[in-house]
Amino acid sequence: MRTHAQRLFLHLTLAVCAFGAALPAAAQKAANESAPVKLESLRDGTPITETKPINPARQERDSGPLDRDFVQQPPLIPHTINGYQITKNFNKCMDCHSFQRAKSSGATRVSVTHFRTREGQELDNISPRRYFCTQCHVPQTDAKPLMGNTFQRARGMQ
Ligand code: HEC
Ligand code: HEC
């Protein structure tokens, strides 16, 4: 059994707690009202029922090999790849980049690492895990970055 004094103390404590909890909420509300949070998305206010037109971006013109940002990087594709298809039966990239074709096309030969399977077995043709070139190698466009970033070239490559 609690005494009167104990009960009174309990009520008082509860009241103080409730008051204390209410204060920050009220302050928060006031702050929210004075500075509304502006939510922005990459859709820029285009309603969800509409399709935002894509920003026109052009692939950059063909150039010599582009500098790498870190040694293990898949080199960037320094030429357009418009219309180059990679299907189950045909790989346009290998038309120029295979060992047989590289000499006549002037393209860099695919790396020997691309002939190794996941288990380390060396094959006489491109390994299935390296078949879809654009999984790792990407062409460049003049598109503006969607988000800022602070990426810096690896120290060994500066
Ligand atoms: C018509 C021939 C041709 C086709 C097809 C082709 N390339 Fe190339 N590619 C080249 C040539 C030539 C170069 C070398 C440019 C130079 O060294 O000046 C090159 C360079 C590259 C490089 C840069 C290599 C480096 O060391 O920096 C990559 C990566 C590449 N191509 C990937 C691809 C991919 C992926 C495809 C298919 C989507 C493809 N290429 C299709 C001719 C071709
Ligand atoms: C899973 C990722 C991946 C895929 C798929 C891939 N590559 Fe690569 N590629 C790399 C990486 C990483 C390097 C650099 C390290 C190395 O040589 O293995 C590279 C290097 C290269 C190079 C430069 C070789 C050199 O001597 O400098 C060429 C050319 C190339 N790849 C072409 C291709 C082509 C063509 C295809 C498709 C048939 C392809 N790659 C598929 C990751 C990939």
Side-chain angles (χ1 to χ4, degrees), residues 64-65 68 75-79 84 92-93 96-97 106-108 133 137:
R68 299 190 196 184
L76 298 167
I77 307 177
H79 54 73
Y84 289 179
K92 179 67 184 166
C93 313
C96 296
H97 285 278
T108 326
C133 320
H137 298 280

Side-chain angles (χ1 to χ4, degrees), residues 81-148:
I81 57 164
N82 286 334
Y84 289 179
Q85 287 205 339
I86 306 173
T87 67
K88 187 162 73 73
N89 302 317
F90 179 71
N91 185 321
K92 179 67 184 166
C93 313
M94 292 301 270
D95 241 8
C96 296
H97 285 278
S98 70
F99 272 56
Q100 305 94 296
R101 299 288 183 80
K103 215 173 206 171
S104 56
S105 68
T108 326
R109 287 193 299 194
V110 278
S111 175
V112 284
T113 61
H114 292 28
F115 293 79
R116 195 176 304 139
T117 66
R118 194 160 50 174
E119 288 77 31
Q121 187 192 356
E122 298 291 348
L123 305 179
D124 62 357
N125 206 342
I126 201 92
S127 169
R129 69 182 184 144
R130 290 282 185 276
Y131 185 79
F132 294 100
C133 320
T134 46
Q135 217 180 305
C136 304
H137 298 280
V138 288
Q140 298 299 286
T141 74
D142 60 2
K144 302 221 161 25
L146 293 171
M147 305 288 291

Side-chain angles (χ1 to χ4, degrees), residues 42-54:
L42 298 177
R43 291 177 59 80
D44 289 331
T46 311
I48 203 80
T49 47
E50 286 168 31
T51 305
K52 183 175 164 0
I54 55 164

